[in-house]
Amino acid sequence: MSRVGNTILVIDDDTIVRESIIAYLEDSGFNILQAENGEQGLAVYKESQPDLILCDLRMPRMDGLGVLRNVREISPELPFIVVSGAGVMADVVEALRLGASDYIIKPIVDLEVLEYAINRALENAQLAVENRRYRESLEEAIRTLEGNLQLLKEDQKAGREVQMRMLPQKPLEFAGYRVDHHIIPSLYLSGDFVDYFALNDHCFAFYLADVSGHGASSAFVTVLLKHMSINLLQEYQSHGGKARVKPSHVLSYINKNLMNSGLGKHVAVFGGVVDIRNHTLTYAFGGHYPLPIMHEPDKTYSIEGRGLPVGLFEDARFEDVTIDLPEQFTLTILSDGILEVLPQSSLEEKEQYLLSVIRDGANSVPALTKKLGLDAMREAPDDIALLVLARN
């Protein structure tokens, strides 16, 4: 493609050669400046800023290499083509080393070859300019992105601190029962959440929730869950705190409020209420998986239950199941993020492995965290939460 309209500075002390080149290039549509030696050519260049310089290497007073050195100090990217006789190839090599764009051997038999070299040098120069502008814009975009990421990290860090403060600050000790937990977020903010608290002088409640997705949007739902549970507890205690609390009713309440929120998030929940007067646990499933694991001195097994995820179906129904609690046991509830870090290949193998780990004595949060390698994990592919209810 011809780069007509560009200005070419032709420097050559041979008048016949210079004028023949000028005549051809003018016919091709280029604007032409000319000089008959290096010093004059350098002055024209400084005054007129051409788009390309075509320069003979051998000239009196200042040769082509001298012109090239001076031009490169001012304009490293300006296209510069040297013209040389066949007997001075060492000068051509030196010119290329100094940054010449191309070279043409005298005598120039076919001026179309010269025009082609000029167009190619101009195109390469234009491409270099466009690449530099693109690189600069990309670097600016990266700097802006890094700044925004830093702000986002600061926001997430602040959000994480708020979320951590919403979690129970210490294990719950309640008349021989103990509830403890641990959460490993996949991002700064977690979509997994746990809570446990006393309902009255003979009952306490707990739940583990796993919000769909990760990050800030899921963490926001955990804030909503905390807000709803506080409201329910305050309402319950304002009415004397004597009535029996049914986990299924709590899940129905949360389901209704999540559906009305329009957040498009659903939650897998396992929640229960322990009554220490008769040592019973009443629990309800809200799509929770894997199944909670009960460990007694002589047996370890998963407790059964069913229920749809919370916040996904308007007509979801939840069931209460009441079991007697033995004098010594642990009940371990894990979010499904644990399944992504276990090495076994099938879900059945992973479930059997969890049962074996707990059967072999990993019956507390610290022991289970260490046994499953969660204490050394720096990044998890999904949020992981574990909650252990124990009676010793």
Side-chain angles (χ1 to χ4, degrees), residues 61 77 85 187 331:
R61 303 177 66 177
E77 296 180 347
L187 301 171
L331 178 64

Side-chain angles (χ1 to χ4, degrees), residues 340-351:
E340 296 192 29
V341 299
L342 295 181
Q344 291 73 26
S345 56
S346 70
L347 283 176
E348 183 179 0
E349 290 173 336
K350 294 174 190 287
E351 290 176 326

Side-chain angles (χ1 to χ4, degrees), residues 139 141-151:
E139 290 172 350
I142 291 173
R143 285 193 291 272
T144 302
L145 180 60
E146 288 176 341
N148 291 336
L149 284 175
Q150 183 60 35
L151 290 175

Side-chain angles (χ1 to χ4, degrees), residues 8-13 18 33-50 52-56 59-63 66-68 70-71 74 78 80:
I8 312 295
L9 170 57
V10 180
I11 308 173
D12 199 314
D13 61 327
R18 186 176 71 248
L33 300 170
Q34 60 176 304
E36 60 184 21
N37 58 60
E39 286 184 353
Q40 187 183 72
L42 192 58
V44 173
Y45 157 71
K46 292 178 178 177
E47 180 181 353
S48 304
Q49 298 293 309
L52 182 145
I53 294 177
L54 180 66
C55 183
D56 188 18
M59 293 182 294
R61 303 177 66 177
M62 177 185 287
D63 63 10
V67 177
L68 178 57
N70 281 277
V71 169
I74 302 171
L78 180 72
F80 195 109

Side-chain angles (χ1 to χ4, degrees), residues 240-262:
K242 300 297 184 183
R244 180 189 176 196
V245 174
K246 294 185 176 182
S248 62
H249 290 180
V250 175
L251 295 191
S252 294
Y253 173 82
I254 296 173
N255 185 68
K256 179 181 178 181
N257 281 276
L258 275 181
M259 294 295 298
N260 292 337
S261 72

Side-chain angles (χ1 to χ4, degrees), residues 307-329:
L308 295 170
V310 178
L312 201 56
F313 303 99
E314 289 186 0
D315 58 349
R317 296 290 183 270
F318 306 98
E319 297 179 358
D320 288 316
V321 178
T322 299
I323 61 174
D324 294 326
L325 294 173
E327 292 186 359
Q328 186 176 355
F329 76 95

